[in-house]
Amino acid sequence: MDRLLGRTALVTGAARGLGAQIVRRFAEEGAHVIVNDINLTAAQETAKKYNGDAFSCDVSNSSEVDRMFLEIASKGLEIDILVNNAGISGLEGDNQAQERVRKSLKVAEASAKGEIPEIDPPILEVTDSAWSKMLAVHLDGTFFCSRAFVRNFRKSNSLSEIGRAIINMGSIMGTSGGSGSAAYCAAKAGILGLTRSLARELAPFKVRVNAIAPGYILTDMTSPMAEMFPLLVAQTPQGRLGDPDDIAWAAVYLGSDEAKFVTGQTLSPNGGWHMSQ
Ligand SMILES: NC(=O)c1ccc[n+]([C@@H]2O[C@H](COP(=O)([O-])OP(=O)(O)OC[C@H]3O[C@@H](n4cnc5c(N)ncnc54)[C@H](O)[C@@H]3O)[C@@H](O)[C@H]2O)c1
């Protein structure tokens, strides 16, 4: 209780999934929550549950991001914690999603058996626009929001007594890689590099910057991957997939004073699937 009392937190892509659970735990810990999502109605529904505010923008659009931060500031809200969480799997709205997941599984299984897969390498199906969109939402979005956050608190010239924090959503995919998800892995690896760079740059301005690299967590994003779950569970020493709270509590910790000496780090709740980030 009250681990985030007095703080204002903006969580991007927070209408559902990991972002919504982070919003819930942040609010319970005393933070005022600001919910961003590309889907305004869904963001408003989530914000309403926790007496928060909702603002819509596409984080991959620089001018929309800047406009949203100005709107937030014009309402007298000053952000202490920014969680760059918005993301896509690339399978959204893809009527071949199941087939793509199956192909990734085939490559992983053939690799484990030392066989040559009977399919083409999945990278051959990655279009220029799919590649660009993945990097835009994850990596550009994290950069645009972080820059706007810094710009706004510099403008108000306030040095927060309690210190500010940026938390970036990476993934175990950012370090382990994964067949069939080259763009996603590249975007998440970029986020980890950006995290470390900003941690150095912003430390003198009393902003801590860390990343969370979740393992496989049950959300709408991972539901199209259900055929992979048995393999993933078998690969996980704890013998289960994660739930959104496994990530939300990591975010509470990184946003709170308990982590006041923690910056430039990647915290990876993943049940032991991957043991080094
Ligand atoms: N679920 C997992 O297993 C897992 C694992 C590792 C990392 N992650 C990362 O965690 C984050 C959240 O994942 P999730 O599982 O909750 O996904 P989700 O699909 O359930 O939720 C993502 C939310 O982001 C919003 N969004 C998408 N594009 C946006 C944009 N351009 N601008 C603003 N909002 C946008 C969506 O509308 C949605 O509400 C993502 O960055 C994802 O890559 C998830």
Side-chain angles (χ1 to χ4, degrees), residues 89-227:
S89 66
L91 296 173
E92 294 86 359
D94 181 348
N95 55 15
Q96 292 184 43
Q98 294 303 325
E99 195 44 38
R100 289 192 205 290
V101 170
R102 242 166 253 148
K103 282 183 182 169
S104 302
L105 198 52
K106 275 186 189 156
V107 174
E109 284 169 351
S111 172
K113 292 181 196 157
E115 294 171 356
I116 297 173
E118 287 168 3
I119 55 167
D120 282 334
I123 192 167
L124 297 181
E125 290 183 13
V126 180
T127 62
D128 293 2
S129 67
W131 174 268
S132 301
K133 180 160 188 197
M134 186 63 78
L135 266 76
V137 174
H138 291 272
L139 190 51
D140 296 359
T142 300
F143 161 61
F144 293 150
C145 290
S146 300
R147 183 178 59 183
F149 168 64
V150 172
R151 186 186 287 137
N152 275 24
F153 79 68
R154 291 299 285 167
K155 241 189 245 162
S156 66
N157 209 17
S158 65
L159 199 61
S160 167
E161 284 299 311
I162 47 184
R164 297 187 169 91
I166 298 177
I167 302 168
N168 294 328
M169 203 53 79
S171 166
I172 46 171
M173 293 290 104
T175 41
S176 79
S179 79
S181 45
Y184 185 84
C185 295
K188 291 303 193 186
I191 285 174
L192 299 187
L194 178 62
T195 299
R196 290 188 283 264
S197 181
L198 289 182
R200 288 188 185 277
E201 190 173 308
L202 297 177
F205 299 97
K206 297 201 183 305
V207 183
R208 295 180 300 102
V209 188
N210 291 290
I212 300 176
Y216 290 94
I217 315 293
L218 293 163
T219 65
D220 290 318
M221 179 180 276
T222 48
S223 60
M225 299 165 53
E227 283 184 36

Side-chain angles (χ1 to χ4, degrees), residues 13 16 18 37-38 58-59 85 169-170 184 188 215 217 219 222:
R16 69 179 198 188
L18 303 186
D37 206 276
I38 198 163
D58 173 352
V59 297
N85 167 78
M169 203 53 79
Y184 185 84
K188 291 303 193 186
I217 315 293
T219 65
T222 48

